[in-house]
Amino acid sequence: MDMEVHGIWIDALRLIVTLLLVVKSAQTLEMTADKIPFLVAVNGSTVLLPCKYSSCIGIENLYFRWQFNDNGTMQTVCDGTIPSEGVVPKVKMYKDRFDFVGMNKENNISILLWNITFEDAGQYTCFGRNPKEYNKNHSAVYELIVVSELSVVDNTLTIIIASAVGGAVALLMGYMLLKNFTLFVLSKLEEKNKECLVTSSGIDNTENGLSGSKVDSKPKPAKQK
């Protein structure tokens, strides 16, 4: 009996731990950069470095920070604190040519980089910490690739393949239409030939006095006495 009670207590504790883990995972803060975590941009252009945060239970004094990995040395680009949802954060910028454009709209804490150079290429980390989740923190990494010019993709082969496939499809459709039209004409000709055969057969029978032919129904004249 004691063993059964002990087993029940163990199962109950396991269930409680599982529930706590589920609740904790549901409350976890998450920072996301973008669906595609990298960007190829031309030297001298302006780029947006995206970042959003999410939390199932909301935020309270959420601290965030953008950092740039400069050959292994993490340099802070900007940081700030968001008191609660919908409140515009006070952001402090540490590097030139960067602007904070998130304004906490739709949990957005993105930054803008003006007139990029080749030295700006590298990894940018968006970090967040939420005290409401016992200082749970999370990071998202975004890669910036700077090039002198964007490469032009040669679509000649693609156009040739598409033209060939389109021509083959058109030819097949033309063949199917011609085939169906030919079968239709042949069926009509066959029906007409059958009608002609039936008609001609009736005419022949009439001329030869066969069954179904016309018979002279006039009575023969009586003999004179």
Side-chain angles (χ1 to χ4, degrees):
M1 186 68 178
D2 293 338
M3 293 296 295
E4 293 180 359
V5 174
H6 182 70
I8 293 174
W9 274 106
I10 292 177
D11 292 338
L13 288 174
R14 288 177 179 174
L15 180 60
I16 293 172
V17 172
T18 303
L19 290 175
L20 290 175
L21 290 175
V22 171
V23 172
K24 185 177 180 180
S25 63
Q27 298 173 354
T28 299
L29 174 71
E30 183 177 7
M31 313 296 288
T32 54
D34 205 352
K35 293 181 179 179
I36 302 177
F38 68 89
L39 173 66
V40 179
V42 179
N43 180 35
S45 62
T46 300
V47 296
L48 176 70
L49 304 177
C51 184
K52 291 185 178 182
Y53 68 87
S54 61
S55 175
C56 294
I57 65 171
I59 63 168
E60 182 179 343
N61 295 324
L62 173 70
Y63 171 77
F64 67 91
R65 178 176 65 238
W66 273 97
Q67 290 182 301
F68 171 60
N69 188 352
D70 186 10
N71 295 323
T73 302
M74 300 301 292
Q75 296 185 1
T76 300
V77 175
C78 68
D79 64 358
T81 302
I82 306 176
S84 60
E85 298 286 354
V87 177
V88 178
K90 293 182 179 180
V91 183
K92 188 173 182 180
M93 309 300 298
Y94 299 95
K95 292 180 70 67
D96 296 334
R97 297 184 292 111
F98 284 91
D99 284 334
F100 180 78
V101 294
M103 299 304 175
N104 196 28
K105 295 179 180 179
E106 298 180 355
N107 302 346
N108 192 351
I109 51 175
S110 304
I111 57 176
L112 200 67
L113 174 56
W114 298 85
N115 192 23
I116 63 174
T117 65
F118 290 104
E119 288 74 20
D120 295 324
Q123 290 185 344
Y124 290 82
T125 302
C126 178
F127 170 84
R129 182 175 65 242
N130 188 16
K132 194 173 182 178
E133 298 181 53
Y134 303 100
N135 288 325
K136 177 66 181 181
N137 61 78
H138 190 249
S139 299
V141 179
Y142 198 76
E143 182 83 17
L144 175 62
I145 303 171
V146 182
V147 296
S148 56
E149 61 180 5
L150 295 177
S151 59
V152 179
V153 179
D154 188 3
N155 294 325
T156 304
L157 181 59
T158 303
I159 295 173
I160 293 175
I161 295 175
S163 300
V165 173
V169 172
L171 182 62
L172 180 61
M173 292 179 64
Y175 169 75
M176 295 300 296
L177 290 173
L178 180 61
K179 180 181 178 181
N180 292 334
F181 179 74
T182 304
L183 293 176
F184 174 76
V185 172
L186 290 176
S187 64
K188 290 298 182 182
L189 290 175
E190 186 176 357
E191 292 178 2
K192 188 173 182 181
N193 289 335
K194 288 182 180 179
E195 292 177 359
C196 291
L197 289 174
V198 172
T199 304
S200 62
S201 176
I203 294 174
D204 292 342
N205 291 339
T206 301
E207 292 177 351
N208 296 329
L210 299 176
S211 175
S213 63
K214 294 182 179 180
V215 180
D216 190 1
S217 59
K218 294 182 179 180
K220 293 181 180 181
K223 293 182 180 181
Q224 298 180 357
K225 293 182 180 180

